[in-house]
Amino acid sequence: MLTKILSFFLTIISFISFNPLSNYDYYDKLGDEDYEGFKDVYAEYFDIGAAVGGWHCRSEKISEYILKNYSSLTAENAFKQAVLNPAEGVWNFTEADTIADFCRQNGLKLRGHCLVWGYLGSWMTRDSEGNLVSKDVLLQRMHDYINVVVTRYKDIVRVWDVVNEPFGYDKRDGAFKQNDFLTICGEEYITKAFEFAHEADPTAVLCLNETTVLKNQKKQNYLLKYIEKWVNEGVPVHAVGIQSHWNLFVLNESPRRLQKVIDKLYKIGVDIQITECDMRIDAIPSDIFDEVPRNTELLQSKKMSQMFEVLRKNADKISSVTFWGISDNRPQKTEDGETYYRHELLFDRDYMPKNAYYAVCDF
Ligand code: XIL
């Protein structure tokens, strides 16, 4: 309900502005099977990627859609340590191999996501009695894990998210988000992970991937401070991933703030990648829609289009823009077990371009 009320007011404001919502209406184009593929529209700017599961690559219809629209893929979950190596000595490469082979066979790039994600917890940090291991043990385990995974996909994964979401922002956490890796090694769990990845593949681009970078200025400040420090110290951090799970109604997720953070990262001298782009339209999570109200859809189209205008302007600083999913066909469950959809991507549940797709591709 709140989404509807806010959308209503934003629509009224937009109508009396210089750039009314009607400028983002592409309803005449919907349903056209011969639309131009996303990666081709953006060929001169940056790679367009998406997060997938192995099942996407096994489906003929979906692979066709992927090949039309994307030049790069990442695995939504298949390359995470909890999947690849859920317990000491247990390895599970099937899904990751499916995605890697699909990329090899079809000439797609592949971003590796992600080597270390402390927040999720890991067998690596604990002994058989459940106690924290020593720093030496943890670093050795990280070293060996990173070496196996990076080496296995060396031919196809040219960019790795080495550490995922390490930064904090509130009083409890300080600069780094609390987790067992941090308790055991301090800041070094991050820098060592980069060193191990670099040792395993000295030519790979190594990326630190972070969430809520626009929304959360405190976190952004920590990120900028430490990336600069590590680059100056010679830690092999080559790129920063700005996840970009945006929301239509979050004011801090604005074109201006996106431009600012790009400028700041560029000054530090790292490549910038947009790694997990989507845009939710719910003002509060309990706002669920079977069908998105038309004005809300136009508002999403407008904001996405404005964000992409910034990305295009900075194409020399950005190497890839990856979406977190290939279409709105991402069922979620309410607490009562009901299925709903978040309508957060540029393609609908039938893998057809939405109004927002045309808005982002019209330049
Ligand atoms: C999410 C996946 O989309 C879910 O399927 C999974 O259950 C949890 O992880 N930031 C990240 C991604 O870096 O790996 C997360 O992906 C979304 C937030």
Side-chain angles (χ1 to χ4, degrees):
M1 194 58 192
L2 187 58
T3 303
K4 281 194 176 161
I5 296 168
L6 288 174
S7 293
F8 174 76
F9 283 112
L10 285 174
T11 306
I12 301 286
I13 291 166
S14 172
F15 268 122
I16 52 173
S17 76
F18 290 114
N19 188 13
L21 265 196
S22 48
N23 284 351
Y24 299 88
D25 176 347
Y26 294 89
Y27 277 64
D28 54 326
K29 292 187 178 270
L30 297 186
D32 176 7
E33 303 267 353
D34 290 327
Y35 69 92
E36 192 181 355
F38 204 173
K39 69 175 169 48
D40 298 329
V41 178
Y42 273 85
E44 283 174 31
Y45 293 88
F46 29 68
D47 278 312
I48 296 287
V52 295
W55 69 275
H56 291 121
C57 305
R58 287 188 290 267
S59 146
E60 202 177 312
K61 180 184 162 211
I62 297 175
S63 348
E64 214 175 282
Y65 157 83
I66 290 175
L67 296 180
K68 173 166 176 155
N69 289 294
Y70 303 98
S71 51
S72 171
L73 293 182
T74 191
E76 181 170 357
N77 292 307
F79 276 70
K80 289 174 182 167
Q81 191 232 304
V83 176
L84 285 180
N85 182 205
E88 188 162 19
V90 180
W91 291 92
N92 185 1
F93 291 115
T94 320
E95 285 293 286
D97 284 353
T98 300
I99 296 170
D101 284 340
F102 183 80
C103 290
R104 288 181 183 114
Q105 282 154 17
N106 294 292
L108 290 166
K109 295 180 184 170
L110 181 57
R111 293 190 84 261
H113 173 84
C114 50
L115 294 170
V116 178
W117 191 0
Y119 165 79
L120 285 191
S122 163
W123 63 266
M124 288 186 193
T125 61
R126 302 271 166 176
D127 65 18
S128 52
E129 265 114 55
N131 302 312
L132 290 178
V133 297
S134 70
K135 183 170 171 179
D136 283 350
V137 169
L138 177 56
L139 289 178
Q140 188 63 49
R141 287 174 171 179
M142 285 172 61
H143 173 274
D144 296 348
Y145 171 78
I146 289 173
N147 189 49
V148 169
V149 176
V150 171
T151 305
R152 186 180 182 94
Y153 299 105
K154 217 174 183 168
D155 65 308
I156 182 75
V157 175
R158 306 311 307 133
V159 185
W160 279 101
D161 286 336
V162 177
V163 181
N164 199 32
E165 304 184 358
F167 289 104
Y169 56 86
D170 55 22
K171 284 208 180 79
R172 186 181 66 107
D173 281 340
F176 300 107
K177 209 180 272 171
Q178 277 310 321
N179 64 56
D180 285 353
F181 288 81
L182 185 73
T183 308
I184 298 169
C185 300
E187 180 189 326
E188 253 182 281
Y189 95 84
I190 302 167
T191 54
K192 286 286 180 198
F194 278 91
E195 283 166 25
F196 297 154
H198 188 59
E199 182 193 316
D201 184 353
T203 61
V205 173
L206 304 182
C207 184
L208 187 143
N209 194 41
E210 191 51 90
T211 183
T212 58
V213 169
L214 294 189
K215 183 160 94 174
N216 206 309
Q217 189 60 48
K218 234 177 174 176
K219 183 188 277 188
Q220 188 188 120
N221 293 345
Y222 284 132
L223 174 130
L224 293 166
K225 174 176 156 190
Y226 280 92
I227 294 291
E228 183 164 25
K229 170 172 174 278
W230 294 330
V231 167
N232 289 338
E233 288 170 358
V235 178
V237 186
H238 310 124
V240 166
I242 305 176
Q243 286 189 9
S244 307
H245 292 290
W246 295 320
N247 183 299
L248 174 53
F249 298 106
V250 171
L251 295 181
N252 276 353
E253 287 163 356
S254 65
R256 196 187 78 85
R257 286 173 68 90
L258 180 58
Q259 181 62 61
K260 288 260 175 207
V261 76
I262 291 172
D263 289 342
K264 288 176 184 169
L265 287 168
Y266 183 69
K267 216 168 139 203
I268 295 172
V270 286
D271 178 43
I272 298 160
Q273 314 204 354
I274 303 298
T275 53
E276 303 185 18
C277 189
D278 54 24
M279 187 179 285
R280 288 176 62 162
I281 54 163
D282 45 336
I284 44 170
S286 56
D287 268 353
I288 289 172
F289 302 99
D290 288 335
E291 266 201 42
V292 182
R294 186 159 176 198
N295 60 339
T296 310
E297 173 143 53
L298 293 185
L299 286 165
Q300 184 192 37
S301 304
K302 180 174 179 177
K303 184 159 169 179
M304 265 294 192
S305 151
Q306 290 174 332
M307 297 304 253
F308 268 74
E309 205 178 322
V310 173
L311 298 179
R312 284 194 305 277
K313 256 194 230 157
N314 296 278
D316 58 327
K317 310 177 182 82
I318 296 170
S319 58
S320 65
V321 174
T322 298
F323 287 81
W324 205 242
I326 56 171
S327 83
D328 279 350
N329 189 19
R330 295 170 63 77
Q332 313 286 327
K333 289 266 179 235
T334 63
E335 277 177 11
D336 309 330
E338 265 178 68
T339 302
Y340 72 99
Y341 294 86
R342 285 179 177 154
H343 313 280
E344 71 272 56
L345 289 158
L346 300 184
F347 291 85
D348 67 18
R349 271 147 65 185
D350 298 319
Y351 305 95
M352 284 296 286
K354 288 164 49 176
N355 193 81
Y357 175 77
Y358 289 108
V360 161
C361 291
D362 185 12
F363 54 88

